[in-house]
Amino acid sequence: MATAADQDAETVAKLVSGVLRAGVEDHWLGQLSAYLGASEQALRLITSIFLGYPFALFYRQFLFYKDCYLIHLFHILTGLSIAYFNFGNQLYHSLICVVLQFLILRLMGRTVTAVLTTFLFQMTYLLAGYFYTATDKYDIKWTMPHCVLTLKLIGLAVDYYDGGRDWNSLSVEQQKYAILRVPSLLEIGGFSYFYGGFLVGPQFSMNNYMKLVQGQMTDVPGKKPNSFLPALKRLSLGLFYLVGYTLLSPYIPEDYLLSEDYANHPFWFRCLYMLVWGKFVLYKYVTCWLVTEGVCILTGLGFNGLDEKEHPLWDACANMKVWLFETTPRFTGTIASFNINTNAWVARYIFKRLKFLGNKMVSQGLSLLFLALWHGLHSGYLICFQMEFLIVIVERQVASLITESPILSKLSSITILQPVFYLVQQTIHWLFMGYSMTAFCLFTWDKWFEVYKSVYFLGHVFFLSLLFILPYVRKIMVPRKEKLKKAE
């Protein structure tokens, strides 16, 4: 057995050393990026994401049901090779945080102190990275995968803490993710550097990762998962978005929002361009998440049990609900369909943990503030998530008004008018989604402020006005309960 394990370890080492050599001999990337008109860093990123597929195939062929330490080692070495390929020696940032996280868990144990230390250290390290590397443009640098790692390690500390609490005091969700034994450095390393989620996510728990390593993430117990077709579907969908984004991006650049030509066009054109650009700019994120989801499905990490018809579900690592994203006319629908695992992480570890505040609105506001800071220190992130907070509040008030108002409820149920309502909703939805994304993508206040000024701060004026007007409209349109009883 020892000889076989040594041979497996040697095979892993040879594969990874080949990847490392490819990372060193990459002068061709500069030529290819110039030919494609893309940045070299962007090309490295997308190449690394697609590398997950040969890694996953290697894992299925040679490491499935092998010793766990071999699989952890494979994940660490492949993840480090991807980090080196993209960021060179700056991979030490992730190494520092992973090793220190292991020491925090070992030395502080299952304590609130360990959780708070983890949160403060990991977030401070990330924010310091943002501060020292920030520019006024979106740069692909070591902080990009590090923000993904930060959430992983904070979640790890919380789940480890939950594993030592009274089991009956935990919610069903907390019991699902609670870690019952001390993870080793090798396990934390494999969890952190797993190639299917290292660069751009998705988020997944240590428990699910350990099930993957132990061969439990499969629809056929004792055998490799039948996940080729589901993985291929997500890969194909990702390629579709990649091709579309590559072909159309030269015609819908975000820099145009800052141009004199944009400012000189009529107001309706500026709004229309913002609407189209706001929808299109999200496709680069959709592409990355669909491709990485396919990698996770191929390994088995995407397995999410069986449905009521005993069919396997492969959505455990889904970061996108594509159909909902493309068809929903509501902001809350887009939020529910976009970056799902990160949103679920924030709900699980931030929003629900703030229950002691006794106010859902405050908890939601603090959760969005955390998300804004997690994305970076630019003012544009704060403005974007502030707009999300405002828009969601208003949208819920409007939905409640329509439901409880007899007149509006009856009007909205008229079949012949529903396509018109849908078109109006979609126009409002994507116009103000683009408005919010403007601040998110332009980062600095001098840029997003200039664009917002060109459209007269339409988003803020529109939703703040509704926020103050809707309560008065509600008094008029929604009858009191006493009147309703008399009417009955």
Side-chain angles (χ1 to χ4, degrees), residues 98-113:
V98 169
V99 173
L100 284 179
Q101 187 58 52
F102 167 73
L103 293 175
I104 289 172
L105 297 184
R106 280 299 175 101
L107 298 177
M108 296 185 179
R110 302 179 189 273
T111 62
V112 175
T113 303

Side-chain angles (χ1 to χ4, degrees), residues 29 47 121 127 130 206 220 245 255 278 296 323 380 478:
L29 278 172
T47 300
F121 171 73
L127 295 179
Y130 285 146
M206 171 62 91
V220 186
Y245 183 80
D255 291 343
C296 293
W323 181 253
V478 179

Side-chain angles (χ1 to χ4, degrees), residues 68-84:
C68 291
Y69 84 89
L70 282 173
I71 301 174
H72 295 313
L73 184 63
F74 176 68
H75 292 160
I76 292 171
L77 294 177
T78 49
L80 285 173
S81 68
I82 288 173
Y84 183 77

Side-chain angles (χ1 to χ4, degrees), residues 241 245 252 272-286 322-328 334 338 422 426 429-431 433-435 437:
Y241 276 97
Y245 183 80
I252 319 175
L272 180 62
Y273 186 89
M274 185 177 285
L275 182 154
V276 175
W277 170 83
K279 176 71 178 250
F280 174 75
V281 72
L282 296 176
Y283 284 175
K284 58 185 177 183
Y285 303 104
V286 176
V322 177
W323 181 253
L324 179 62
F325 175 77
E326 294 292 357
T327 59
T328 180
T334 297
F338 189 81
Y422 181 81
Q426 281 286 24
H429 170 206
W430 283 111
L431 171 59
M433 186 63 72
Y435 182 88
M437 288 302 298

Side-chain angles (χ1 to χ4, degrees), residues 5 19 24 30 69 74 80 83 130 161 173 177 185 188 199 225 245 250 334 346 348 363 370 375 408 481:
V19 174
V24 175
Y69 84 89
F74 176 68
L80 285 173
Y130 285 146
Y161 168 71
E173 182 182 55
Y177 295 107
L185 180 59
I188 294 176
L199 283 174
Y245 183 80
T334 297
V346 173
R348 185 161 62 246
S363 298
F370 171 81
H375 277 91
L408 295 179
K481 292 182 179 180

Side-chain angles (χ1 to χ4, degrees), residues 49-291:
I49 289 173
F50 279 101
L51 271 176
Y53 286 90
F55 287 157
L57 291 172
F58 181 89
Y59 160 73
R60 289 176 61 101
Q61 184 65 33
F62 299 106
L63 295 177
F64 208 84
Y65 288 126
K66 295 291 184 179
D67 292 337
C68 291
Y69 84 89
L70 282 173
I71 301 174
H72 295 313
L73 184 63
F74 176 68
H75 292 160
I76 292 171
L77 294 177
T78 49
L80 285 173
S81 68
I82 288 173
Y84 183 77
F85 178 65
N86 284 272
F87 314 111
N89 293 331
Q90 290 182 331
L91 62 84
Y92 74 84
H93 292 291
S94 60
L95 281 172
I96 289 173
C97 290
V98 169
V99 173
L100 284 179
Q101 187 58 52
F102 167 73
L103 293 175
I104 289 172
L105 297 184
R106 280 299 175 101
L107 298 177
M108 296 185 179
R110 302 179 189 273
T111 62
V112 175
T113 303
V115 174
L116 293 178
T117 301
T118 294
F119 185 89
L120 291 174
F121 171 73
Q122 299 295 355
M123 282 301 295
T124 300
Y125 200 103
L126 176 64
L127 295 179
Y130 285 146
F131 180 79
Y132 286 108
T133 65
T135 66
D136 61 351
K137 294 183 178 180
Y138 183 80
D139 300 315
I140 298 175
K141 48 187 181 291
W142 67 266
T143 54
M144 185 193 68
H146 202 88
C147 70
V148 177
L149 177 64
T150 297
L151 296 192
K152 279 186 182 179
L153 297 180
I154 292 174
L156 172 65
V158 176
D159 292 337
Y160 182 62
Y161 168 71
D162 284 344
R165 294 168 59 194
D166 177 19
W167 195 252
N168 294 324
S169 69
L170 302 178
S171 67
V172 174
E173 182 182 55
Q174 289 169 346
Q175 290 176 358
K176 177 181 177 181
Y177 295 107
I179 299 172
L180 302 180
R181 65 175 184 81
V182 186
S184 68
L185 180 59
L186 201 62
E187 290 169 343
I188 294 176
F191 168 67
S192 301
Y193 286 106
F194 172 66
Y195 49 84
F198 172 68
L199 283 174
V200 296
Q203 292 294 326
F204 50 87
S205 69
M206 171 62 91
N207 282 349
N208 273 8
Y209 171 74
M210 290 304 299
K211 289 178 182 178
L212 170 72
V213 172
Q214 294 162 5
Q216 298 176 23
M217 298 294 276
T218 175
D219 56 324
V220 186
K223 296 182 180 179
K224 299 171 186 176
N226 295 314
S227 56
F228 276 105
L229 186 58
L232 183 61
K233 288 180 179 179
R234 300 312 270 180
L235 172 60
S236 301
L237 199 53
L239 288 172
F240 173 79
Y241 276 97
L242 175 62
V243 171
Y245 183 80
T246 303
L247 293 177
L248 295 176
S249 57
Y251 303 100
I252 319 175
E254 65 187 42
D255 291 343
Y256 183 69
L257 293 166
L258 299 168
S259 68
E260 289 186 15
D261 189 50
Y262 175 80
N264 291 332
H265 270 90
F267 175 72
W268 67 265
F269 176 87
R270 297 197 295 271
C271 291
L272 180 62
Y273 186 89
M274 185 177 285
L275 182 154
V276 175
W277 170 83
K279 176 71 178 250
F280 174 75
V281 72
L282 296 176
Y283 284 175
K284 58 185 177 183
Y285 303 104
V286 176
T287 295
C288 292
W289 291 332
L290 288 173
V291 173

